[in-house]
Amino acid sequence: MTGYRNPFEGQREPLPPELAKAGFRQEFAQFDGVLISYVRGPEAGVPLLLVPGQMSLWSSYRRVMARLARRFTVYAIDVRGHGNSSWTPGDYSWDSAGTDLARFLRQVVGRPAIVSGNSSGGILALWCASRVPEHVAAIVLEDPPIFSVEMPRFRDRDRWVYGSLAHTVQVLGDLDHRRVTDIYRQEIPVAETKTIRMPDRFVDFLDRRVTRYRRRHPDRPASLGVRWLPQSLDEVIRAASMFDPDFARAFLDGRFYGDFSHEAALQTTTCPVLLLHANWNWYERYGLVGAMDDEDARRVRQLAPQTVYRRIDAKHVIHNDKPHAFVAAVTNFADKLPFSGVVGSATRQ
C-alpha cells in the first residue's frame, strides 16, 4: 500500500506545561517535500539534537528536555514516518532518514551540534557523524542496535527484535482498522523458557478507552483520555497511532539498510563518541533481547577508540527510565569536549 499520507502531518500539538514554561516551541521544516516536525528550546549554548528510536516521538524526551535546556540549545525531532512529520511509504532507509537529519543540521541548526540518538536514532546519529561530519561536533549513542540490526544477524540470530517489528507490522499494517492497543499483546522473554505479556483483559480495557476517545476526537492521535493511568501507556498508544508501519516493514524486507555499514561508519567517525549501554539478555531461543551485547560494545570501542563508554542499569530508553543518569552522562561528556567552555555555566543537576 503506497500513496497514503500521515493524517497528523503538520498538526500542532500542545506542549507539556513544563516545556512551554521552559521556552520550548513546536516548529516545522520542509526538505524536498518531506515535512519534519520538531520542538526547539531557547538559545542556551551548544546545539543538542535529540533523535528518538523507532515508533517513538520527540515527546519521549520530555523528562530530560527542560534540564538539558539549561546547558544546551535543544532540538527534539520526529523522524520521517513518525509523529507530525511526513510519512514516506516506500522510501524508508538509513540514507533517506539520515539525509533529513543532515539537512536539518545544515538549514535549521546552522552550526555543528551534538547529535544524540536512542535505538535506531543512535544509528542515525552514527550515519550523520560518518556521512556529514562537518555538521556534527559529537554523537551520543543511547543503546543503539549497532551490528545487531544488520542482516542476516538481525533476522537469523538475534531474532526477537525482528519478531517484535513483525508484530508491529501485523498490528498496524491495516491503516483503516488497526487496533493500536494490540501493540501490548506481544510476549517478552524474561528467561529461557518464560515470557510475560500484558493480560488480555487489561489490553481489552485499554482498547475500549482508546475507542471512546477516538469517537470524541476523530482527528486527534489515539489516547486513553484519562490521567489516572500511567503516562507511559498513553505515550506508546499515541506514538503507535502516529507511526507509519512501512517504516518497520522496511527493516523486515531489507529496504532500510542500503549500503550503510556500521563497521565502516565507526571506522570513519572522527568526532567524540559517547556510548550509553542499557540492560540486555540473551536466550538460545530468542537471541539478543536488547539492543547490543557486551561484545558489540567492545567492538564499537575498538573501531572508534575515541568512544567514551558508560554502562547504565536501565531499560532500553535510558532517557525515560533513568532521566537523571542520562542528563548527567550527556552533560559530563560535553564538559570534556573542546567547545565545553561555551556550553554555559548553568547549575548542574
Side-chain angles (χ1 to χ4, degrees), residues 201 282 319:
R201 285 188 177 183
W282 194 91
H319 62 260

Side-chain angles (χ1 to χ4, degrees), residues 222-233:
S223 172
L224 295 170
V226 295
R227 296 184 178 180
W228 43 268
L229 286 168
Q231 182 183 333
S232 58
L233 288 175

Side-chain angles (χ1 to χ4, degrees), residues 74 104 203 251 299:
V74 176
F104 186 89
V203 178
F251 277 87
R299 191 176 168 202

Side-chain angles (χ1 to χ4, degrees), residues 220-331:
R220 303 295 301 165
S223 172
L224 295 170
V226 295
R227 296 184 178 180
W228 43 268
L229 286 168
Q231 182 183 333
S232 58
L233 288 175
D234 204 55
E235 176 73 13
V236 171
I237 288 169
R238 180 170 172 270
S241 74
M242 304 176 80
F243 176 64
D244 182 359
D246 193 57
F247 190 99
R249 190 180 291 112
F251 277 87
L252 301 180
D253 63 25
R255 283 177 287 132
F256 212 96
Y257 308 99
D259 63 354
F260 182 62
S261 162
H262 298 182
E263 177 176 332
L266 287 164
Q267 288 175 324
T268 57
T269 292
T270 58
C271 71
V273 179
L274 173 63
L275 175 61
L276 304 180
H277 192 189
N279 297 335
W280 61 276
N281 286 295
W282 194 91
Y283 305 115
E284 185 68 33
R285 181 178 177 184
Y286 302 99
L288 178 66
V289 180
M292 62 192 319
D293 59 27
D294 289 343
E295 175 57 24
D296 294 328
R298 185 201 64 77
R299 191 176 168 202
V300 169
R301 286 174 282 174
Q302 181 183 49
L303 293 167
Q306 75 274 29
T307 300
V308 176
Y309 176 77
R310 286 285 310 277
R311 179 75 168 84
I312 297 179
D313 180 15
K315 298 176 184 177
H316 178 50
V317 186
I318 299 170
H319 62 260
N320 187 56
D321 187 43
K322 297 291 177 66
H324 290 281
F326 178 81
V327 170
V330 173
T331 53

